[in-house]
Amino acid sequence: MTANVSRRTALALAPAMLAASSVRAAEPPKDPPVFRIGALLGLTDKGNWNATVMQRGIMMAVDEINAAGGIAGIKVEAAIEDHQGVPRVGVDALQRLRARYDIQAVLLSYSTVGLAAAPICEENKIFMLDGGSVTDGLVGKFSYLFHNRSVASVMARAAMTVAKKNGYKKMAQMASSTDDGQSLLRAAEADWKAYGGTIVGTETGLPTASNIDTQMAKLRTAGGDFLAIWEFSPGPGLVLKRAREFGMTQQAIGIEFTAEILKVAGAHAEGYVFATDYFNPEAADPWPQRFAADYRKKYGDNPEVYAANYYEGIYIIAEAIKRARAGGGNYFTGERLKQALDASPVVPSVYGGNMTFQPDGTGLKRVGIFKVVDGKAVFQNFAEVSR
Amino acid sequence: MELFAQLLVNGLGNGSYYALLGLGFGLIFGTTRIVHFAYGPVFAFSAFAVWMAGKFLGLPLWIAVLFGPAAASVGGAAVYWLAYRPFEQRGMSSHSVLILSLGLTIVLESALTLGFGPSIHTFPDFAAPIFILGPVFVTGLQLAETVTLLVLAVALTRFLQHTRYGKGILALGDDRDMARIVGIDTDRISLVVFALGSAISAVAGVFTLLNEGATPTMGFYPVFVAFVVAVVGGLGSIPGAIAGGYMVGLVESLGLWQIPTEWQNSIAFVLLFVVLMLRPQGLFVGMKR
């Protein structure tokens, strides 16, 4: 609440801050030798596929910006550290970034790592951008934290639009016991109950659990018109596989589909429906088209939400740097980057058009509904979710 | 009732899997008294060996699975010979060997991560048959786990009772010093035990690979379950390992019938606690093999 107020206050004071920056403009900008942007990724975690594509997105953006002459002629560098999916390791990695580089901006990933790292960044006024985790636990609590991925309250409600559209009444759900999974669970339950639906079964499991037979047996007995899966890669793969093996034939609805999920689920992924930030490589906007084409050329793969978000993340920070630099003085600080986005929260998005950061730090994006057909995600429609 | 029947079948299926884990671990621990936590990465290594045989050598699955026990027995024997044995020869305490075992686990898991990457390796085209028995679904893998356990238990019993090495293993398990005095080559017997116990763990490793895929850390939880099964059943006892495996599998499955599944990973350790309180020697001690 405090952070909300402080961000709103900051927005209210934006004109004054702009005026202040115009005063500051009299002072020439103190350029650093390089713009070093930190990133905490789960490179050696079990779900490292996400980190791999995040890293690709980051490096593509850095290479593009530098090839175009950098920012005001100054090169951009990415300092990527591995958090292994472990909060303690993430905190150590963040402290290394601070000690070595006095890092001023960092890209976060994974809710548990974000929850551990964000207070340290907040205290040290480090600008944070999270394009991976969806937990509501990180929303509105840290004034230096921005999100360019739709968060749990949006994703869960987007997934629920499928259930409502299909006229389902009874939900059975399987959730990861992580903060992300529980955030989705809470958001979905609230939305489903408000709709008048009933919840016939709720089971949870650790993200590393390999034995979910009991959960699946209980959910099968509970019935349900559909099975909601509030898990992240590769978790939904095992849920889909075991659900089908246990004879559960109802529609499965989730919020993520990756190559890892497909590897585990195999043919059982067929028909799975999921909601996710909608990245359309064929969009009319030239930026998504160019990004998708370059990504395919470089990695032989289609970019998806994680690659797009971390690619976009570097550009958002670059945009904040440009705006802060216009104010002159010692501008490459977390505080000045945050002020730049607070003052003008609209930034270009690789998803097409612009993205506007809300007072709680979340960026508004369109959420799409996809269905797995022949092992590929096929776009169905946009989810109409009120904010 | 339908749920109970399904949970019972699941418990028996998982019990067979746990018993396989406990059988290998118990054989090593019961004979050498080494708490072999590096059993986990050796178990994982066996799954990767099968995956490589299938993917890179292009072998059919039924041949590729043979690479699992072979790789695990070599890996297990190497771990004993290169790591534990030098410690034993220097007369290091069991605590030192335990620390070594934990350190070795981290080193071997890291080596697997460097070699194979941390992501999941699967056979996407493999699909186990499903059998529908009234309201109960049974997978082909659950049946295969049970049949394999029974075959291995009988074979291991006969090996221990009727071969020179088997009798040496029994003697070593009973009294190491006495075995040495009567002329048994305890180093060689320990080597055989590590190879054999690791090969048995590989059978469970192959089932894990086929069920959900292989990762470098896939042995982390199974090694603890194997420890629980071996201790609950009674160290070095084949019937004990089987009973311990089924007890953990059934308690884990049926115990969650009425209580939240968040307790899933704790329930095996609650069972361990209860057994250690009531019968610290294990349920089947005195009924060895």
Side-chain angles (χ1 to χ4, degrees):
Chain A
M1 191 63 192
T2 310
N4 278 340
V5 171
S6 84
R7 194 185 291 277
R8 283 194 201 100
T9 309
L11 284 170
L13 292 174
M17 288 194 287
L18 280 174
S21 60
S22 65
V23 171
R24 219 188 277 131
E27 191 184 347
K30 290 180 183 169
D31 290 324
V34 64
F35 294 116
R36 195 170 279 113
I37 299 169
L40 299 178
L41 308 180
L43 294 169
T44 58
D45 178 58
K46 186 180 176 184
N48 83 317
W49 176 86
N50 296 354
T52 303
V53 297
M54 288 171 185
Q55 188 177 25
R56 286 176 181 178
I58 289 169
M59 295 318 297
M60 263 190 72
V62 167
D63 290 347
E64 283 178 13
I65 292 169
N66 288 338
I71 303 169
I74 301 164
K75 296 276 185 196
V76 175
E77 253 184 45
I80 299 174
E81 288 278 346
D82 179 19
H83 61 53
Q84 301 173 13
V86 180
R88 174 184 51 76
V89 178
V91 167
D92 288 347
L94 174 65
Q95 300 292 30
R96 269 199 304 280
L97 288 175
R98 288 185 59 218
R100 280 185 195 162
Y101 306 122
D102 187 23
I103 213 83
Q104 294 300 315
V106 66
L107 297 167
L108 300 179
S109 66
Y110 283 41
S111 62
T112 49
V113 176
L115 286 163
I120 299 169
C121 292
E122 185 79 5
E123 190 180 334
N124 293 283
K125 298 182 177 176
I126 297 170
F127 179 89
M128 297 170 274
L129 186 60
D130 191 341
S133 69
V134 302
T135 178
D136 285 332
L138 282 168
V139 176
K141 295 189 172 62
F142 303 98
S143 62
Y144 283 80
L145 175 57
F146 294 76
H147 304 262
N148 62 328
R149 184 183 188 186
S150 294
V151 292
S153 54
V154 175
M155 300 290 277
R157 284 186 292 141
M160 289 291 97
T161 62
V162 179
K164 292 170 189 172
K165 191 176 167 186
N166 291 351
Y168 300 147
K169 295 291 176 198
K170 293 184 288 182
M171 171 168 72
Q173 52 183 351
M174 175 75 190
S176 163
S177 57
T178 60
D179 203 77
D180 273 330
Q182 296 303 302
S183 287
L184 287 161
L185 189 80
R186 284 191 295 273
E189 283 187 353
D191 185 62
W192 193 241
K193 283 176 184 169
Y195 169 69
T198 55
I199 299 163
V200 295
T202 300
E203 298 296 332
T204 59
L206 288 169
T208 52
S210 57
N211 179 5
I212 56 167
D213 292 358
T214 304
Q215 286 92 330
M216 287 299 110
K218 289 171 92 169
L219 288 175
R220 193 191 69 163
T221 305
D225 298 328
F226 69 104
L227 173 65
I229 304 172
W230 309 126
E231 297 209 11
F232 296 86
S233 184
L238 189 59
V239 175
L240 287 166
K241 183 172 188 280
R242 299 306 275 155
R244 299 308 181 219
E245 285 177 351
F246 279 121
M248 296 173 72
T249 54
Q250 63 264 63
Q251 178 68 59
I253 301 173
I255 48 90
E256 190 166 85
F257 180 67
T258 64
E260 294 287 278
I261 292 172
L262 182 61
K263 263 164 67 174
V264 178
H268 298 301
E270 204 61 16
Y272 169 57
V273 172
F274 63 101
T276 188
D277 286 345
Y278 179 71
F279 176 73
N280 180 11
E282 314 302 330
D285 193 316
W287 194 17
Q289 281 184 15
R290 180 169 54 81
F291 164 63
D294 290 351
Y295 189 94
R296 273 195 291 264
K297 191 176 166 189
K298 195 163 186 176
Y299 302 111
D301 204 0
N302 277 318
E304 42 50 81
V305 62
Y306 290 113
N309 283 0
Y310 284 77
Y311 171 87
E312 181 182 74
I314 293 291
Y315 273 98
I316 291 170
I317 293 172
E319 183 64 26
I321 291 172
K322 282 181 206 164
R323 293 179 189 176
R325 189 174 187 274
N330 185 20
Y331 64 91
F332 188 48
T333 66
E335 190 170 16
R336 291 284 299 277
L337 298 180
K338 168 188 145 31
Q339 285 172 0
L341 280 192
D342 280 342
S344 175
V346 181
V347 291
S349 171
V350 76
Y351 285 68
N354 289 324
M355 176 171 63
T356 306
F357 286 109
Q358 302 303 290
D360 63 4
T362 57
L364 287 186
K365 279 182 174 172
R366 290 185 302 181
V367 179
I369 302 296
F370 296 79
K371 185 175 187 176
V372 178
V373 180
D374 295 330
K376 292 190 173 68
V378 177
F379 175 69
Q380 304 293 301
N381 57 274
F382 287 111
E384 298 298 329
V385 181
S386 57
R387 307 280 168 166
Chain B
M1 202 57 206
E2 185 185 320
L3 175 60
F4 180 82
Q6 185 65 61
L7 291 178
L8 184 65
V9 167
N10 291 352
L12 291 171
N14 290 330
S16 303
Y17 173 80
Y18 293 155
L20 282 168
L21 288 169
L23 207 55
F25 188 87
L27 184 68
I28 294 171
F29 187 21
T31 307
T32 65
R33 301 293 177 217
I34 292 173
V35 185
H36 177 38
F37 281 119
Y39 188 72
V42 172
F43 161 90
F45 176 58
S46 69
F48 280 108
V50 174
W51 182 81
M52 283 201 301
K55 285 287 175 184
F56 292 128
L57 302 180
L59 297 173
L61 189 59
W62 68 272
I63 296 178
V65 295
L66 301 176
F67 278 68
S73 53
V74 171
V79 164
Y80 172 71
W81 203 256
L82 300 174
Y84 295 133
R85 184 169 162 271
F87 267 58
E88 281 186 334
Q89 286 180 329
R90 287 183 180 85
M92 305 294 271
S93 70
S94 57
H95 295 102
S96 301
V97 178
L98 178 67
I99 299 296
L100 167 71
S101 175
L102 289 169
L104 203 56
T105 302
I106 294 167
V107 169
L108 293 176
E109 277 190 359
S110 300
L112 286 173
T113 306
L114 283 171
F116 296 98
S119 60
I120 291 179
H121 295 68
T122 61
F123 284 113
D125 298 332
F126 172 80
I130 309 290
F131 304 99
I132 304 168
L133 308 171
V136 175
F137 285 69
V138 185
T139 70
L141 283 179
Q142 286 174 324
L143 290 176
E145 283 165 352
T146 307
V147 171
T148 310
L149 169 68
L150 295 176
V151 170
L152 275 178
V154 170
L156 184 61
T157 304
R158 293 185 69 82
F159 171 79
L160 292 173
Q161 288 174 344
H162 300 292
T163 67
R164 191 163 61 92
Y165 277 112
K167 288 173 183 169
I169 290 171
L170 291 175
L172 190 61
D174 281 341
D175 191 323
R176 188 181 188 87
D177 292 333
M178 188 58 75
R180 194 173 286 145
I181 288 168
V182 300
I184 292 172
D185 184 344
T186 54
D187 283 351
R188 178 174 291 191
I189 293 294
S190 295
L191 192 69
V192 170
V193 163
F194 266 84
L196 196 57
S198 302
I200 294 171
S201 83
V203 177
V206 171
F207 284 123
T208 307
L209 169 68
L210 297 178
N211 207 20
E212 76 230 26
T215 65
T217 54
M218 65 187 274
F220 181 78
Y221 183 66
V223 75
F224 287 102
V225 173
F227 181 81
V228 172
V229 166
V231 172
V232 166
L235 285 176
S237 162
I238 293 173
I242 295 172
Y246 281 116
M247 189 172 281
V248 172
L250 287 169
V251 166
E252 193 180 83
S253 188
L254 295 175
L256 296 171
W257 185 18
Q258 298 296 341
I259 62 173
T261 41
E262 284 92 333
W263 290 93
Q264 184 177 33
N265 280 11
S266 312
I267 210 156
F269 297 98
V270 172
L271 178 68
L272 175 69
F273 178 77
V274 171
V275 170
L276 285 178
M277 288 289 286
L278 301 177
R279 196 173 161 83
Q281 69 273 40
L283 297 176
F284 283 77
V285 75
M287 291 183 274
K288 284 196 170 184
R289 295 151 189 137

